[in-house]
Amino acid sequence: MRKFLSPLFCALLFSTFMLAQSAPVAFLSQLYPDTVAPGHAQFQLTLSGAGFQTGAVVNWNGSPRSTTFVSVNRLEATITAADVARAGTAAVTVTNSGAITSNLIYFPIHHASANVAFARRDLGIVPGWGVAVADFNHDGKPDIAAVTGAGFGPYSLNIFLNNGNGTFSGPTTFSNSADGSQQMIAADFNNDGNVDLLVVGAYGVNSMWLGNGDGTFILSPHTLNLNDENCLAVGDFNRDGKLDLFITGGTDGDNSAVVFLGNGDGSFTLGQNLGNVFNPQPPVIGDFNRDGKLDVAVPQEGVNIYLGNGDGTFASPVSYPVPNAPFASVVADVNGDGKLDILSDGMSVLLGNGNGTFSSGYADAIPNAYYALAGDFNNDNKIDLLMGYSDLFLTLGNGDGTFQSPLLWNAGENAHLGAIGDLDGDGRLDSLVVITVDPLTNTSALSIFLQTNLSLESSFLNFGNVKVRTTSPPQTSTLTNIGTAAVTIGAISISGGPGFAETNDCGTSLEPGVSCTISVSFTPHAKGSFQGKVRIGYSGTTGSPQYIELLGLGN
């Protein structure tokens, strides 16, 4: 039986829009290629999406590039050798008629890898469910927003500004957020060129924070009062240059799907009510029939497809069954045929036919693999799927619509994904994760999972009950260098409660492809619970230090 998950967990969508006039807002779905290695020659970048107009311009980190209009859902742009000379990540957007800028897609510049590893970094706050990643101060670096508070409040909006190296300043705190955070959407809702934040509350009351463009925000007088447990997607559904909302959960307790049309000042007007939706989950958007108009997919027991009419209304849904009842879905072209597919957690794939219909594709039963974000994490031009619940799962794509066996990292109970982006500027995608219950501290945490070349097999060792003054059998964790250069190993040491002892065979350096083992034993000297950490310092790649959390009970 599928474990029940509350629709409160709607923090899977983030989009950053910058717009200024009244032409339609273009929507960007995917890039071909989606990455190149540093030092690549000049190349043509193909962009798929919706709402492109003649004269549309592709922007590379905010600067225009030579652009060819192909169709309402396809553009081509010339990317120069200088654009990709060094490792890093570019922000790619589209501007219609020289005035309106689309959502962004990251273009990582890094060498391909056969494997992926993450190093966890906690930001020191206990967040709500909803978090967002966007550039709040126009410095080209992705920043982080999170709401803190519990129960019925009070709540505060917290902004972490990116230092460009995987660390963040702050948080800067803004009080009086109207409600707890089940979802946060970063977009320009009042058309001033700055990113705003719509905080979707856990109890149906939502707050709009208007960005000043310098990393600060003011609370808007406009509110959007909805039902409990709503999930939202944002796009210009009526093509008037103002961002609209597609909401599952309704406004009157009926679990309906409804459209709210944006007024361009941070307020919205109720539009079409699409009727009852059984067990609605977070909606996702794309142009599934390639007519230049935005469509919506809503995961339920299967996936419902709402084809857009381009005027803010949608046709009646068509439902497609999937083997594993999804909680969340993402849209991406996973088999390279230029047609958008739908990936659902669990996992399963619906292959798009390019006309708004779908066929059943790859499926695999991965327990506790809820929530979903898609991206090219190993820079091989194949879309991968990141999922999380009690652990963090990454299934690397084969490029033909199938996926490899999942890689796994311990992330605590009920961890869920907030957003992805290159948070340290090294040309590899990282992830922002909300950990509901850390296995060691039994508290919540907002954590960054930075890509690193030093893979840690297990970051949590639980010794269970051990008789006082008796030494447990050792437990081990393996370090592996998955990169192409040596990693210098520094001090490996234990901190925390007494009773834990560590040995290792790591030496002072790990060559590419080489592993070493850290072995830990537990000897309690009294009854009670004991906690500790193994700290692993290193240099030559990102993420140092990494930690192995230790837990044991003297009995």
Side-chain angles (χ1 to χ4, degrees), residues 170-212:
T172 301
T173 299
F174 304 91
S175 300
N176 300 318
S177 183
D179 201 350
S181 170
Q182 71 179 48
Q183 185 183 14
M184 191 182 299
I185 298 177
D188 183 2
F189 291 107
N190 65 346
N191 297 21
D192 67 351
N194 300 322
V195 177
D196 310 312
L197 290 167
L198 175 58
V199 179
V200 183
Y203 303 104
V205 180
N206 307 280
S207 56
M208 175 71 74
W209 290 89
L210 301 178
N212 295 315

Side-chain angles (χ1 to χ4, degrees), residues 111-417:
H111 294 284
S113 171
N115 210 336
V116 174
F118 290 107
R120 174 180 161 183
R121 283 286 168 274
D122 293 348
L123 287 178
I125 65 170
V126 178
W129 303 114
V131 295
V133 170
D135 182 5
F136 301 130
N137 59 351
H138 296 287
D139 67 352
K141 304 168 188 174
D143 308 310
I144 294 173
V147 168
T148 55
F152 291 96
Y155 299 93
S156 297
L157 174 67
N158 299 266
I159 302 297
F160 296 85
L161 296 180
N162 195 332
N163 296 319
N165 59 358
T167 66
F168 293 79
S169 61
T172 301
T173 299
F174 304 91
S175 300
N176 300 318
S177 183
D179 201 350
S181 170
Q182 71 179 48
Q183 185 183 14
M184 191 182 299
I185 298 177
D188 183 2
F189 291 107
N190 65 346
N191 297 21
D192 67 351
N194 300 322
V195 177
D196 310 312
L197 290 167
L198 175 58
V199 179
V200 183
Y203 303 104
V205 180
N206 307 280
S207 56
M208 175 71 74
W209 290 89
L210 301 178
N212 295 315
D214 59 358
T216 66
F217 292 80
I218 59 173
L219 188 62
S220 169
H222 301 297
T223 59
L224 186 65
N225 294 323
L226 302 171
N227 248 355
D228 287 3
E229 303 180 349
N230 289 275
C231 297
L232 283 66
V234 61
D236 186 2
F237 300 122
N238 62 350
R239 299 185 294 179
D240 67 348
K242 304 167 186 175
L243 290 178
D244 312 312
L245 302 174
F246 190 103
I247 301 174
T248 55
T251 59
D252 54 6
D254 60 359
N255 276 344
S256 59
V258 296
V259 178
F260 276 83
L261 299 177
N263 298 316
D265 60 356
S267 68
F268 298 87
T269 300
L270 180 63
Q272 183 185 19
N273 188 320
L274 288 153
N276 289 351
V277 180
F278 175 72
N279 190 28
Q281 306 293 0
V284 289
I285 56 181
D287 183 5
F288 303 134
N289 58 354
R290 299 189 289 185
D291 64 354
K293 305 168 186 176
L294 288 179
D295 310 311
V296 177
V298 179
Q300 298 182 268
E301 294 304 310
V303 178
N304 276 6
I305 303 298
Y306 297 82
L307 295 180
N309 298 315
D311 59 359
T313 66
F314 293 81
S316 298
V318 176
S319 184
Y320 292 86
V322 293
N324 309 301
F327 169 70
S329 296
V330 293
V331 175
D333 175 14
V334 296
N335 59 355
D337 64 356
K339 305 168 186 176
L340 290 179
D341 311 309
I342 298 175
L343 296 79
S344 298
D345 55 2
M347 65 172 294
S348 60
V349 176
L350 289 173
L351 294 173
N353 298 316
N355 60 0
T357 66
F358 293 82
S359 303
S360 296
Y362 176 87
D364 187 15
I366 304 177
N368 292 327
Y370 304 117
Y371 319 110
L373 292 169
D376 186 356
F377 287 89
N378 61 340
N379 301 84
D380 65 350
N381 273 294
K382 301 169 185 176
I383 294 295
D384 311 312
L385 188 65
L386 186 67
M387 298 171 284
Y389 186 58
S390 58
D391 295 296
L392 200 62
F393 300 89
L394 177 63
T395 55
L396 296 176
N398 296 316
D400 59 359
T402 66
F403 291 80
Q404 301 174 25
S405 297
L407 305 171
L408 183 150
W409 296 267
N410 178 268
E413 181 182 342
N414 202 7
H416 73 273
L417 306 175

